[in-house]
Amino acid sequence: MSLPATSVTELFAPVKDDLRTLTANLKELVGARHPILYAAAEHLFEGKGKSLRPALVLLVSRATMTDQDITSRHRRLAEITEMIHTASLVHDDVIDMAELRRGIPTVNSDFGNRIAVLAGDFLFAQASWYLANLDNLEVVKLLSKVITDFAEGEIRQSLTAFDTSLTLEDYLEKSFYKTASLMAGSSKAAGVLSGVTLAQAEQLFNFGKHFGIAFQIVDDILDFTSSTETLGKPAGSDLRQGNLTAPALFALEEMPQLSGLIEREFSEPGDLAQAVALIQSSDGIHRAKDLAKSHIKLAVSAIDWLPASAPKQSLINLAAYVLERLY
Amino acid sequence: MSLPATSVTELFAPVKDDLRTLTANLKELVGARHPILYAAAEHLFEGKGKSLRPALVLLVSRATMTDQDITSRHRRLAEITEMIHTASLVHDDVIDMAELRRGIPTVNSDFGNRIAVLAGDFLFAQASWYLANLDNLEVVKLLSKVITDFAEGEIRQSLTAFDTSLTLEDYLEKSFYKTASLMAGSSKAAGVLSGVTLAQAEQLFNFGKHFGIAFQIVDDILDFTSSTETLGKPAGSDLRQGNLTAPALFALEEMPQLSGLIEREFSEPGDLAQAVALIQSSDGIHRAKDLAKSHIKLAVSAIDWLPASAPKQSLINLAAYVLERLY
């Protein structure tokens, strides 16, 4: 599973040109008619490292079309995936009243809630429309399910804030809805567009699902182990909002005193810092890393059947890179 | 075009039972899993006179299926239509920071922006998912277009606030996007599900389009002619937000002094009241009524070809009723 330190750009190599076209297309598709959205689009589609999701779609597309070039539908699917992801980020930031994402101001903080709600709706709507025009009902169903899952994930997170009875299973389900569903649904959809078998399509779904769950677990670990500078937001942000992630849930098992701090919603001065310190000193981070590793293994084994190719190797390397972010 | 004073309930008679089932289904579909959305759903699907859009879908369905019962897909389409409409209202109220709608508190004022954004997203997502599962690509495209149009309409309204160079054509386009697109797209979709011809489907689109435009014009007139009690919000609300509607645009033609008040965004005390009084005393209301009438005539003539039936007569009566609201 180990691999030499590398950059994300290198990992995306087989689809580097595709991604450049995609970014240009997205800015045009979204921003062309409305200056107000153009500014938001510039803002949204320019951020570094934001192209993981379309890269996965393009890599799966190329890995399942080894003997021929990918089609315009594969490309459109990658664009739709990024639109849906971006729409969800914009609305997430309104919901969380977030001011920064990856260190740059959010749409709501730069343009206000009004524009942020509209921009998100517009992106979801555009995505649905382009989706319908792919003329493939199975793909429409797969991606519509993803949009429902986003809302489901956010609602669950909202309902279970500061709830120390949350189980690891609840957390994994929520992570699937919030993060992995898009990667699972869009990887499978790319395969469907390539004409893979039903069983292969299911395996592509599993690849995206386990990749996405591992990705979310790693993100949740980084919220405890990284500096504010690296994260682009204060460390412990999830916990402060009552979002109990893998490290916190594992820590709760060994440190019952943690639940008191969480249940009173960090209302006393120093509560949050104390809780973060408890989690950092617990075995929670380590156990969460093991959990992420196990999902990455499942992701990689789900694409075992793919014929050897540069894009397949990129998918495997990307999976390993998810874990490398921790070291 | 005149018809005896009647109640909306009577006009819905041929689909009364269908509508009762629909309301029960919607509450179940939306609220079942989430108490937080259940409260919002109760709130949303209980309001009086809110069922105009699904009633139109059901009436068109019955009017195009005269020899047999409507199908479960027709019913689902009506539910989807109401979900999309409701989602757009919820987000509109966030965008406009509205506190009341039809005299009852909005979701954002009762539950906060967070829940309102989520509830709207969830409804749009559910609608997209049920839509995909109608297994009819044409219907998916028609309704996806409607969702894009909503966002387009809101953005245009946002961009043209207080802009006195807005033309009547701009206004009609915006009204199509915001209001008529859903009625047009869903009426046509109902016909498509009944298997009407292409030309007939186009006519059903035109019926919904002109009905919707007239409906919006009448709504815009009532904003100047009704009391706060009747509207459930203060009279002149649109104008205060810089939303220039038919009566204001016509009044601007005869009263150049109006544009100064609008362009300074009613910043001086008494500006808004003065502007409302100017519009009320102008010929704008009268000319807007004539405009609404002409669109109702176009709507009615678009369904001339439908065989005589109780649901067809209801559609005609509903069209007349749109104008009757003015007297």
Side-chain angles (χ1 to χ4, degrees):
Chain A
M1 193 64 65
S2 84
L3 99 175
T6 178
S7 77
V8 182
T9 324
E10 279 174 59
L11 293 170
F12 290 169
V15 293
K16 202 179 69 177
D17 292 343
D18 301 334
L19 285 172
R20 202 172 298 130
T21 315
L22 174 127
T23 306
N25 274 355
L26 280 173
K27 279 197 232 173
E28 201 173 315
L29 288 176
V30 173
R33 284 188 304 184
H34 298 293
I36 212 163
L37 285 184
Y38 186 75
E42 281 280 324
H43 196 85
L44 290 166
F45 299 123
E46 205 59 274
K48 266 203 173 178
K50 288 216 154 180
S51 38
L52 172 63
R53 287 152 189 85
L56 285 177
V57 171
L58 291 163
L59 287 168
V60 171
S61 301
R62 292 208 170 273
T64 48
M65 296 280 282
T66 41
D67 50 347
Q68 44 193 314
D69 197 7
I70 59 171
T71 66
S72 58
R73 288 189 186 181
H74 287 106
R75 293 179 190 281
R76 187 44 61 89
L77 176 67
E79 290 161 7
I80 291 168
T81 301
E82 184 67 351
M83 279 188 204
I84 294 177
H85 172 59
T86 307
S88 79
L89 293 184
V90 174
H91 279 186
D92 272 11
D93 288 339
V94 176
I95 291 167
D96 295 341
M97 294 176 280
E99 293 185 359
L100 291 176
R101 179 175 288 273
R102 291 170 184 272
I104 58 169
T106 56
V107 176
N108 45 303
S109 81
D110 258 12
F111 301 92
N113 276 351
R114 183 190 171 86
I115 295 299
V117 172
L118 271 178
D121 283 356
F122 188 76
L123 283 167
F124 274 131
Q126 285 264 67
S128 297
W129 196 77
Y130 285 120
L131 195 56
N133 284 279
L134 283 180
D135 282 316
N136 184 314
L137 264 174
E138 192 180 354
V139 173
V140 175
K141 286 183 198 177
L142 278 169
L143 276 287
S144 297
K145 179 65 168 50
V146 168
I147 304 180
T148 321
D149 286 347
F150 273 137
E152 178 77 32
E154 276 297 331
I155 289 165
R156 288 203 184 196
Q157 185 162 314
S158 192
L159 289 175
T160 59
F162 301 105
D163 179 356
T164 54
S165 71
L166 190 81
T167 66
L168 190 68
E169 205 171 308
D170 296 332
Y171 161 76
L172 290 172
E173 268 185 35
K174 188 186 69 184
S175 300
F176 173 75
Y177 288 128
K178 279 190 60 188
T179 307
S181 174
L182 179 63
M183 297 177 181
S186 61
S187 295
K188 180 175 174 181
V192 168
L193 291 178
S194 300
V196 302
T197 68
L198 270 180
Q200 289 169 338
E202 254 348 284
Q203 289 292 67
L204 291 172
F205 185 91
N206 286 333
F207 166 77
K209 173 178 146 182
H210 292 295
F211 186 103
I213 289 175
F215 185 86
Q216 184 60 54
I217 296 170
V218 169
D219 238 31
D220 294 339
I221 295 170
L222 291 173
D223 192 50
F224 289 104
T225 59
S226 291
S227 64
T228 304
E229 293 67 43
T230 317
L231 287 176
K233 61 178 182 178
S237 289
D238 293 331
L239 192 63
R240 190 167 48 86
Q241 301 210 319
N243 181 13
L244 305 184
T245 59
L249 293 173
F250 286 128
L252 270 166
E253 286 176 18
E254 47 174 305
M255 294 163 161
Q257 67 270 41
L258 190 55
S259 64
L261 300 170
I262 295 169
E263 278 158 13
R264 70 182 186 215
E265 303 189 5
F266 312 119
S267 50
E268 304 288 317
D271 275 2
L272 181 66
Q274 197 190 334
V276 171
L278 279 172
I279 293 166
Q280 284 168 338
S281 70
S282 78
D283 208 30
I285 308 277
H286 181 74
R287 289 174 68 191
K289 282 183 186 176
D290 283 346
L291 186 63
K293 266 184 213 167
S294 71
H295 281 282
I296 285 299
K297 273 192 186 148
L298 289 169
V300 172
S301 73
I303 53 167
D304 224 21
W305 56 275
L306 278 173
S309 71
K312 178 189 179 177
Q313 193 53 49
S314 274
L315 288 170
I316 296 169
N317 294 349
L318 263 175
Y321 180 75
V322 167
L323 298 176
E324 219 190 304
R325 290 166 70 216
L326 291 171
Y327 301 99
Chain B
M1 195 62 67
S2 84
L3 100 174
T6 179
S7 76
V8 182
T9 325
E10 278 174 59
L11 294 169
F12 290 171
V15 293
K16 203 179 68 177
D17 293 342
D18 301 334
L19 285 171
R20 202 173 298 129
T21 315
L22 174 126
T23 306
N25 274 355
L26 280 173
K27 279 197 233 173
E28 201 173 316
L29 288 176
V30 173
R33 283 189 304 187
H34 298 295
I36 212 162
L37 284 184
Y38 186 75
E42 282 280 323
H43 197 86
L44 290 166
F45 298 123
E46 204 60 271
K48 266 201 173 179
K50 288 217 155 177
S51 36
L52 172 64
R53 286 153 189 86
L56 285 177
V57 171
L58 291 163
L59 288 168
V60 171
S61 301
R62 292 206 171 274
T64 49
M65 297 279 282
T66 41
D67 49 347
Q68 43 192 314
D69 198 8
I70 59 171
T71 67
S72 58
R73 287 188 186 180
H74 287 104
R75 292 178 191 281
R76 187 45 60 91
L77 176 66
E79 290 160 7
I80 290 168
T81 301
E82 184 67 351
M83 279 187 203
I84 294 176
H85 171 58
T86 307
S88 79
L89 292 185
V90 173
H91 280 186
D92 272 10
D93 288 340
V94 176
I95 291 166
D96 295 341
M97 293 177 280
E99 294 185 357
L100 291 177
R101 181 174 285 274
R102 293 170 184 268
I104 57 170
T106 56
V107 176
N108 45 304
S109 81
D110 259 11
F111 301 92
N113 276 352
R114 183 190 171 85
I115 295 297
V117 173
L118 271 179
D121 283 356
F122 188 76
L123 283 167
F124 274 130
Q126 285 264 66
S128 297
W129 195 77
Y130 286 118
L131 196 55
N133 284 277
L134 282 180
D135 282 315
N136 185 313
L137 263 174
E138 192 180 355
V139 172
V140 174
K141 286 183 197 176
L142 278 168
L143 276 287
S144 298
K145 179 66 168 51
V146 168
I147 304 181
T148 322
D149 286 348
F150 272 137
E152 178 77 33
E154 277 297 331
I155 289 164
R156 289 202 182 196
Q157 184 161 314
S158 192
L159 290 175
T160 59
F162 300 105
D163 178 355
T164 55
S165 71
L166 190 81
T167 66
L168 191 67
E169 206 171 306
D170 297 331
Y171 162 77
L172 290 173
E173 269 185 35
K174 188 185 69 181
S175 302
F176 173 76
Y177 288 130
K178 278 190 58 187
T179 308
S181 174
L182 178 63
M183 295 177 182
S186 61
S187 295
K188 180 174 174 182
V192 169
L193 291 179
S194 301
V196 301
T197 67
L198 270 179
Q200 290 169 337
E202 254 348 283
Q203 289 292 64
L204 290 172
F205 185 92
N206 287 332
F207 166 77
K209 173 179 147 182
H210 292 296
F211 187 103
I213 289 175
F215 186 85
Q216 184 60 54
I217 297 169
V218 168
D219 239 31
D220 294 339
I221 295 170
L222 291 174
D223 192 50
F224 289 105
T225 60
S226 291
S227 64
T228 304
E229 291 69 43
T230 316
L231 288 176
K233 59 179 181 177
S237 290
D238 293 330
L239 191 63
R240 189 167 49 87
Q241 301 210 318
N243 179 15
L244 305 184
T245 60
L249 293 172
F250 286 127
L252 270 166
E253 287 177 17
E254 46 174 307
M255 293 163 161
Q257 68 269 41
L258 190 54
S259 64
L261 299 170
I262 295 169
E263 279 158 12
R264 72 182 185 215
E265 304 191 4
F266 312 118
S267 50
E268 303 288 316
D271 274 3
L272 181 66
Q274 198 191 334
V276 170
L278 279 171
I279 293 165
Q280 284 168 338
S281 71
S282 78
D283 208 29
I285 309 277
H286 181 73
R287 290 174 68 191
K289 282 182 187 177
D290 282 346
L291 186 63
K293 265 184 213 167
S294 71
H295 282 282
I296 285 298
K297 272 191 186 147
L298 290 169
V300 172
S301 72
I303 52 167
D304 225 21
W305 56 275
L306 278 174
S309 70
K312 178 190 179 176
Q313 193 54 47
S314 274
L315 289 169
I316 297 169
N317 294 349
L318 264 175
Y321 180 76
V322 167
L323 299 176
E324 220 190 302
R325 292 165 68 215
L326 292 170
Y327 300 99

